[in-house]
């Protein structure tokens, strides 16, 4: 089947969230029908939320089916050797009409012990930001478990957490253990390890439509938190038709690619590549295949496809496993 692979798009998996809104439709053209849609999962193998191909001859097949049939061709030799038939990343777009809960994600060791899961290192690329939008990320100063618990119990946790004003184009890289919350008024592209493990610390005392508060995970979080001040914001270059490194970590590499006109791309076959279109429009041309992509689209280029062209005018996130 590897000879029949081509750049793949998947049906978005849409998630209602108490903090969600309608920008995934108005800004990213996602087919939402709810006024509280918070997430569009673009590429996922999380159990119960496995992506299904939306384009071409393989339409209707799941990503796991493709990986199981030809893991080397889809994932790449190096990725398959490291992860087996697991797809190691999860790609999303998020719309925060309200603040998300203040939360933290466990590292690989804790997540494996407690949940038989990967940890959740992640990054955000801010696609749209309302005036004065901000994120909460880490502590203002080095803290400790005792200080944290005191402020949590006194309902003053926000006072010791750092908040950063966010604007379009900003990138934040969050290693596991970083306390964080996406603030109201932001649309972000999120790249993360394949994990749906979140420890919720504080939810601003809000309730759902039935008047219920969401579950908190205070005890689980204690050993997961990094209590030190962290630097999460990433600076990067914007050279045209160049893969400008934004994040390079053990779990993924993300480049910022400002495309103008045409770019010939050559790959090694060691890893799949994912492109997230964050502005503009572009096309991928490969062996007679040609398809256009617009802002909010995500495309998986299987590892077996090692030479193709990008054409158009767009800002693109390029992601792969180093």
């Amino acid at each position: 089947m590897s000879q029949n692979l081509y750049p793949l798009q998947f049906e978005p998996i849409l998630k209602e969230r108490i903090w969600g809104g309608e920008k995934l439709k108005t800004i990213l053209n996602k087919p939402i029908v709810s006024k509280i849609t918070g997430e569009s999962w673009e590429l996922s193998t999380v159990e119960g939320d496995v992506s299904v191909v939306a384009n071409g001859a393989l339409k209707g097949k799941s990503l796991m089916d493709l990986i199981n049939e030809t893991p080397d061709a889809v994932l790449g030799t190096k990725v398959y050797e490291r992860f087996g038939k697991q797809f190691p990343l999860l790609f999303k777009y998020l719309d925060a009409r309200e603040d998300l809960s203040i939360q933290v994600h466990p590292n690989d060791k804790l997540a494996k012990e407690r949940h038989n899961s990967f940890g959740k290192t992640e990054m955000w690329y801010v696609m749209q930001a309302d005036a004065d939008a901000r994120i909460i990320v880490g502590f203002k100063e080095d803290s400790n478990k005792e200080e944290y618990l005191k402020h949590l119990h006194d309902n003053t946790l926000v006072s010791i957490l750092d908040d950063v004003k966010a604007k379009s184009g900003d990138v934040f890289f969050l290693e596991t253990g970083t306390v964080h919350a996406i603030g109201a008024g932001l649309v972000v592209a999120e790249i993360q390890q394949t994990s749906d493990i979140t420890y919720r610390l504080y939810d601003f005392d809000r309730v759902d439509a039935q008047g219920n508060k969401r579950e908190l995970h205070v005890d689980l979080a204690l050993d997961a938190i990094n209590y030190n001040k962290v630097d999460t914001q990433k600076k990067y270059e914007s050279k045209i038709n160049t893969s400008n490194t934004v994040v390079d970590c053990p779990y993924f590499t993300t480049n910022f690619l400002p495309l103008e006109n045409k770019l010939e791309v050559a790959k090694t076959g060691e890893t799949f590549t994912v492109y997230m279109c964050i502005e503009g429009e572009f096309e991928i041309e490969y062996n007679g295949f040609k398809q256009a992509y617009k802002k909010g689209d995500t495309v998986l280029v299987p590892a077996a496809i090692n030479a193709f062209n990008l054409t158009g005018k767009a800002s693109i996130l390029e992601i792969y496993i180093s």
Side-chain angles (χ1 to χ4, degrees):
M1 189 192 70
S2 61
Q3 298 93 327
N4 301 323
L5 288 172
Y6 51 89
L8 300 165
Q9 274 186 283
F10 295 83
E11 299 288 351
I13 300 169
L14 303 172
K15 301 281 189 178
E16 286 192 346
R17 298 290 187 247
I18 195 171
W19 41 261
E22 298 180 90
K23 287 182 180 177
L24 293 180
K25 179 178 182 178
T26 58
I27 294 179
L28 302 185
N29 203 34
K30 300 297 175 184
I32 69 172
V33 294
S34 162
K35 293 185 177 181
I36 56 166
T37 303
E39 303 183 21
S40 175
W41 290 22
E42 298 288 295
L43 196 47
S44 166
T45 56
V46 172
E47 187 175 354
D49 288 302
V50 177
S51 294
V52 173
V53 178
N55 68 313
L58 297 172
K59 183 175 180 177
K61 294 205 74 161
S62 79
L63 177 54
M64 281 311 310
D65 286 342
L66 298 179
I67 291 171
N68 285 329
E69 289 170 14
T70 53
D72 269 0
V74 176
L75 297 173
T77 53
K78 183 184 286 187
V79 176
Y80 181 38
E81 181 180 328
R82 180 176 168 190
F83 295 102
K85 292 183 178 181
Q86 295 176 290
F87 192 74
L89 298 178
L90 173 59
F91 298 83
K92 304 177 182 178
Y93 295 111
L94 286 80
D95 167 25
R97 179 181 53 85
E98 297 180 359
D99 292 336
L100 274 67
S101 63
I102 297 174
Q103 56 192 241
V104 72
H105 305 303
N107 61 25
D108 283 346
K109 183 174 182 293
L110 270 181
K112 179 69 174 176
E113 289 172 358
R114 294 175 175 176
H115 314 285
N116 194 29
S117 170
F118 291 125
K120 191 173 174 183
T121 294
E122 61 187 336
M123 67 156 278
W124 302 326
Y125 178 94
V126 178
M127 297 183 69
Q128 186 269 332
D130 291 352
D132 298 323
R134 56 85 171 97
I135 68 161
I136 291 172
V137 58
F139 291 87
K140 288 180 180 176
E141 303 295 340
D142 288 355
S143 186
N144 54 60
K145 190 179 295 187
E146 291 70 32
E147 181 185 39
Y148 157 77
L149 283 172
K150 179 182 185 305
H151 283 278
L152 184 67
H153 293 147
D154 290 346
N155 220 25
T156 56
L157 177 60
V158 174
S159 70
I160 62 170
L161 298 178
D162 200 10
D163 63 81
V164 181
K165 187 169 181 179
K167 63 183 185 304
S168 179
D170 282 350
V171 171
F172 298 90
F173 175 60
L174 291 88
E175 296 185 272
T176 54
T178 304
V179 175
H180 62 274
I182 296 174
L186 292 172
V187 174
V188 305
E190 181 175 275
I191 298 144
Q192 59 161 95
Q193 291 176 268
T194 292
S195 170
D196 200 28
I197 307 301
T198 293
Y199 298 156
R200 193 177 297 121
L201 311 178
Y202 177 62
D203 200 28
F204 302 98
D205 296 320
R206 65 187 148 197
V207 295
D208 63 18
Q210 287 72 46
N212 300 313
K213 291 185 178 181
R214 293 195 293 174
E215 182 183 5
L216 301 180
H217 311 96
V218 175
D219 292 338
L220 284 172
L222 286 177
D223 293 334
I225 293 172
N226 175 6
Y227 295 95
N228 296 320
K229 181 178 172 63
V230 292
D231 182 13
T232 60
Q233 194 160 2
K234 292 290 186 179
K235 304 297 182 185
Y236 57 95
E237 296 189 76
S238 303
K239 294 178 182 176
I240 300 299
N241 287 349
T242 300
S243 295
N244 302 277
T245 302
V246 182
V247 169
D248 186 14
C249 74
Y251 306 103
F252 55 84
T253 296
T254 299
N255 300 322
F256 178 70
L257 174 56
L259 177 68
E260 287 198 5
N261 299 320
K262 183 175 181 178
L263 177 64
E264 295 181 358
V265 180
K267 298 289 183 180
T268 64
E270 292 183 322
T271 174
F272 63 86
T273 303
V274 172
Y275 292 107
M276 302 180 84
C277 186
I278 51 179
E279 196 64 61
E281 299 179 353
F282 73 100
E283 293 181 341
I284 294 181
E285 299 176 81
Y286 162 72
N287 195 27
F289 171 95
K290 186 175 182 179
Q291 186 157 331
Y293 308 94
K294 62 185 183 304
K295 183 177 181 177
D297 284 345
T298 303
V299 56
L300 169 66
V301 180
I305 298 174
N306 53 24
F308 52 93
N309 294 327
L310 305 177
T311 59
K313 185 174 178 60
S315 294
I316 304 167
L317 297 181
E318 176 186 55
I319 305 100
Y320 49 85
I321 308 287
S322 294

